[in-house]
Amino acid sequence: MCPGRVQPDAHAAVARLPERSRALLTETAYHYGTFFDLHGIGEEYRPFPVLDSSGPGEGFVRFTAKMLERSPLGRSHADAARKLAEELVRGQVSFTLQSGDYLIVDQRRFLHGREALHSGQETVPVDGRRLLLQLFLRAGTGADAGRIVDRRHR
């Protein structure tokens, strides 16, 4: 079983923020995590903005509350990220996935999380472990149209 969380609409949460907070979240000031085994999708974007400069209800929202602990943020950037976290948690939905369940999330619109696994995971047979598969689907024309790139995490 895999406890998970989904915030219903990241764009709606952003729209409820003050304009100053939204502006700070578009600045490349945030850090989180390390990527590995990236193929065909470009270099790691670090530091990064939480929001792109698209209009309200458009673009991406790249956010994890863990970055508040791991980013060397100034007070104003941290406050803007905390305000966004509060808005996201307000609409959060929690559920447990069972073995064989799939969760497909449009990461441009919705955010997702997962609870920490209990200790002893190294004793779980590989075919019984949680498998996260992330796909990057690209729309467009030409050679890259419809191309799928994946990353696997256990």
Side-chain angles (χ1 to χ4, degrees):
M1 296 196 306
C2 178
R5 298 180 307 274
V6 174
Q7 281 78 24
D9 189 337
H11 292 146
V14 168
R16 291 189 297 266
L17 294 174
E19 188 174 329
R20 175 73 178 137
S21 294
R22 288 193 307 266
L24 287 164
L25 292 168
T26 64
E27 296 179 6
T28 53
Y30 301 89
H31 297 261
Y32 175 71
T34 302
F35 293 92
F36 56 93
D37 295 336
L38 297 177
H39 302 285
I41 60 170
E43 295 297 316
E44 182 177 350
Y45 191 21
R46 188 174 178 162
F48 58 86
V50 170
L51 308 176
D52 67 12
S53 57
S54 298
E58 299 176 0
F60 68 78
V61 179
R62 181 179 180 181
F63 182 81
T64 174
K66 293 175 185 175
M67 72 185 182
L68 290 168
E69 303 163 8
R70 300 178 185 175
S71 289
L73 295 172
R75 183 181 184 122
S76 59
H77 286 97
D79 287 347
R82 276 190 209 89
K83 286 177 185 172
L84 177 57
E86 290 169 8
E87 290 298 330
L88 291 168
V89 168
R90 190 164 32 149
Q92 179 174 286
V93 176
S94 297
F95 55 91
T96 300
L97 296 174
Q98 303 296 321
S99 180
D101 286 352
Y102 291 85
L103 173 65
I104 299 173
V105 179
D106 176 352
Q107 294 188 122
R108 290 187 155 266
R109 181 80 188 229
F110 302 94
L111 303 180
H112 64 88
R114 55 192 175 272
E115 301 292 328
L117 297 172
H118 299 287
S119 62
Q121 292 299 306
E122 64 279 355
T123 64
V124 175
V126 172
D127 63 345
R129 294 180 186 170
R130 173 172 67 186
L131 172 66
L132 302 175
L133 177 61
Q134 184 175 17
L135 300 173
F136 296 87
L137 302 174
R138 293 186 177 152
T141 60
D144 284 344
R147 196 170 109 192
I148 299 174
V149 179
D150 73 45
R151 246 185 3 201
R152 295 173 190 263
H153 300 280
R154 288 209 186 257

